[in-house]
Amino acid sequence: MATWDDVRRIALALPETSERGSHDDLPAWRVRDKIFVWDRPLRAGDRAALGDAAPDGPVLGARVPDLGAKEALLADDPAVYFTTPHFDGYPAVLVRLDRIEIAELAELITEAWYARAPKRLAAAHRTAATDEPDQARPAG
């Protein structure tokens, strides 16, 4: 299963990505100063809303392209993906980091990056990934 080291390795392999603390000074990864994945521990309100379903392990926040993609992930694997009322109407999912496979994590992080990267940068990366798939895909 995935760790914060995996998140860091995958995220930093993407073009123009930096790691800088969020407003809570927790790890967050950005493309041109736009956060696309971040450490998102549950808060008291989250735990109250989730009740017994609240996970104890590490939680990753990840941007998704739109609310449809969010709903698809939540429906596809509720053992891994979840949300809280705080994220209602917001294109992001929460991920039980200790339950996601590395390959799926790499895909999630890459898609989060595409959702936040400037269009030209994203297009250039997609072209490079098409031309050299083994080098463009983060190891995992």
Side-chain angles (χ1 to χ4, degrees):
M1 293 295 136
T3 67
W4 289 114
D5 288 339
D6 296 318
V7 173
R8 180 171 287 112
R9 175 181 50 77
I10 294 164
L12 291 175
L14 294 163
E16 299 190 35
T17 295
S18 62
E19 179 177 345
R20 192 171 79 229
S22 65
H23 67 278
D24 294 337
D25 206 29
L26 295 169
W29 292 268
R30 303 163 189 266
V31 57
R32 292 203 187 160
D33 210 34
K34 291 183 178 182
I35 292 178
F36 62 98
V37 290
W38 63 96
D39 181 348
R40 179 45 166 86
L42 297 181
R43 299 175 177 138
D46 300 329
R47 291 194 178 282
L50 294 170
D52 292 340
D56 290 327
V59 175
L60 174 73
R63 284 294 297 254
V64 294
D66 54 46
L67 294 176
K70 174 181 182 172
E71 293 305 318
L73 286 171
L74 295 172
D76 183 52
D77 197 348
V80 172
Y81 301 100
F82 69 104
T83 191
T84 65
H86 178 79
F87 290 98
D88 285 352
Y90 187 73
V93 293
L94 299 176
V95 181
R96 291 171 177 89
L97 194 57
D98 56 0
R99 292 191 182 180
I100 191 168
E101 298 289 336
I102 302 297
E104 188 173 350
L105 177 67
E107 182 179 341
L108 177 75
I109 290 173
T110 302
E111 290 304 314
W113 183 90
Y114 280 124
R116 301 295 284 164
K119 290 179 182 179
R120 287 184 183 168
L121 180 61
H125 186 261
R126 283 190 201 279
T127 299
T130 302
D131 292 344
E132 301 176 31
D134 293 332
Q135 292 179 6
R137 184 174 300 128

